[in-house]
Amino acid sequence: MVIKYKVTINTGGTSGMGQANALRLAHENAKVVLAVIRKEKLNQICEKNANQNNTVLT
């Protein structure tokens, strides 16, 4: 399945399977939208993705 250039919406993206899925999709060049409750965890994930040359918007 080609995911590149697709937009995905991911809930629960700050931990567990949701986080793993979000990181995998970002690695495959999908644009990932995270719906989260814990903003602190979101910032950590954004920093991690920015270090991997992924575009991150918060």
Side-chain angles (χ1 to χ4, degrees):
M1 180 165 151
V2 177
I3 298 175
K4 190 173 187 176
Y5 306 119
K6 302 277 183 176
V7 177
T8 65
I9 300 173
N10 191 348
T11 59
T14 57
S15 64
M17 290 177 61
Q19 181 180 6
N21 188 42
L23 293 174
R24 181 183 62 84
L25 291 167
H27 179 71
E28 295 184 20
N29 296 317
K31 297 194 184 317
V32 180
V33 177
L34 296 177
V36 301
I37 295 173
R38 298 179 292 179
K39 187 174 180 179
E40 302 81 31
K41 292 286 285 180
L42 175 64
N43 291 336
Q44 291 173 357
I45 293 168
C46 290
E47 288 174 14
K48 183 176 183 178
N49 271 294
N51 292 335
Q52 296 176 0
N53 294 325
N54 294 324
T55 301
V56 177
L57 301 175
T58 58

